Amino acid sequence: ADAPPADMAWCGADAVVLQWPELLLVVGPHGDHASWATDSRTVMVPEVDGLRLVAAARHELLRKVPGPLADLLRPGSSSPGTQLLEARELLDCGAPKADKALRTLADALPGAVAQCIEAAGTDLSPSRQRALLRAAAYGRAFIAPTDLPAHAAYDTATKLRLINALREPQVGIPLTMSQLDALGLPAAVARLVVYRQWLLASRIATSLAYSSPSLLLPPTPGAGGGGAGGGGLPQPATLPGVTDHLPG
């Protein structure tokens, strides 16, 4: 380039993104790179697992495809998780080969179940999340209870429901599983309070056992304790404080 970059940021733990007025360049740990045109007003926000790109009419997440998901969905993959996913698809189609496909996994079945659960937690597509969790449930029925924690799939499914709810356009808080784990569930509820999403905040706090008054939400900026719109909750706020704002 003829000019130095206007900005630079980490993308995950091992890649760097350089920004010029109308160009983004991603450089990997071994010198591999990729570039594409972009809006000159794009703002780069580093995240624990990637880089958030925010423009006037666009909000994107740039990240490396997570390992479990790449191993499972790579073309031609023969990983245990891939085989379990194919077995579940055969079962859904009513194909008699489903049982045979499952039996071929043998001792690799617990690992296949774990891989499907982990891959579902890293995927951003709700339809693939459901497919992977259904595959895990299919394999889970044929392994010993000691081979995998009973709550593994439940915990992942619960977090995915939360993440997908936060990503809805009317809420507008897109997060990945890694970002949610780094942020923490109480902080996620606090953000919903700032966004005035009282009902969703109450439902999440209650369903995730945060209904105790010990849930303290961090103070929000402004003299009135609210966000940009003013008003808001008294600080510190608890779940009962959230429910006070709900109709009925």
Side-chain angles (χ1 to χ4, degrees):
D2 297 331
D7 197 4
M8 180 172 62
W10 282 103
C11 179
D14 57 2
V16 174
V17 177
L18 308 176
Q19 182 184 38
W20 282 268
E22 297 182 352
L23 178 73
L24 282 180
L25 174 66
V26 183
V27 182
H30 305 294
D32 48 329
H33 62 276
S35 62
W36 61 92
T38 185
D39 192 319
S40 60
R41 294 170 295 175
T42 299
V43 177
M44 301 191 297
V45 183
E47 295 283 1
V48 294
D49 57 349
L51 183 68
R52 200 176 294 273
L53 304 174
V54 183
R58 190 178 71 252
H59 186 165
E60 300 172 318
L61 176 66
L62 176 64
R63 63 169 185 166
K64 181 180 179 180
V65 178
L69 193 61
D71 292 341
L72 197 146
L73 298 181
R74 181 182 292 114
S77 172
S78 59
S79 70
T82 303
Q83 296 179 55
L84 179 57
L85 181 61
E86 293 173 350
R88 177 67 207 216
E89 291 172 350
L90 290 171
L91 178 69
D92 290 340
C93 294
K97 292 182 179 180
D99 182 66
K100 180 179 179 181
L102 186 67
R103 291 180 184 276
T104 57
L105 286 168
D107 295 339
L109 185 55
V113 174
Q115 185 182 15
C116 285
I117 294 173
E118 189 175 3
T122 62
D123 203 327
L124 300 180
S125 167
S127 60
R128 279 200 303 264
Q129 293 168 3
R130 287 192 294 270
L132 290 166
L133 289 176
R134 283 168 62 85
Y138 180 39
R140 184 71 177 84
F142 296 94
I143 63 176
T146 55
D147 288 339
L148 190 74
H151 57 80
Y154 175 82
D155 290 348
T156 298
T158 300
K159 287 185 178 181
L160 286 176
R161 287 186 64 187
L162 167 58
I163 289 171
N164 292 335
L166 294 175
R167 195 180 294 133
E168 288 294 325
Q170 63 268 29
V171 180
I173 309 179
L175 296 173
T176 64
M177 185 80 77
S178 297
Q179 293 168 16
L180 178 63
D181 291 340
L183 181 65
L185 293 173
V189 174
R191 286 194 180 186
L192 288 171
V193 171
V194 174
Y195 277 48
R196 300 178 178 273
Q197 296 287 338
W198 314 115
L199 181 59
L200 182 57
S202 174
R203 286 175 174 173
I204 290 174
T206 302
S207 64
L208 297 176
Y210 281 103
S211 56
S212 167
S214 62
L215 172 60
L216 298 181
L217 304 180
T220 54
L233 296 175
Q235 301 299 331
T238 63
L239 180 60
V242 175
T243 55
D244 289 343
H245 288 70
L246 301 178

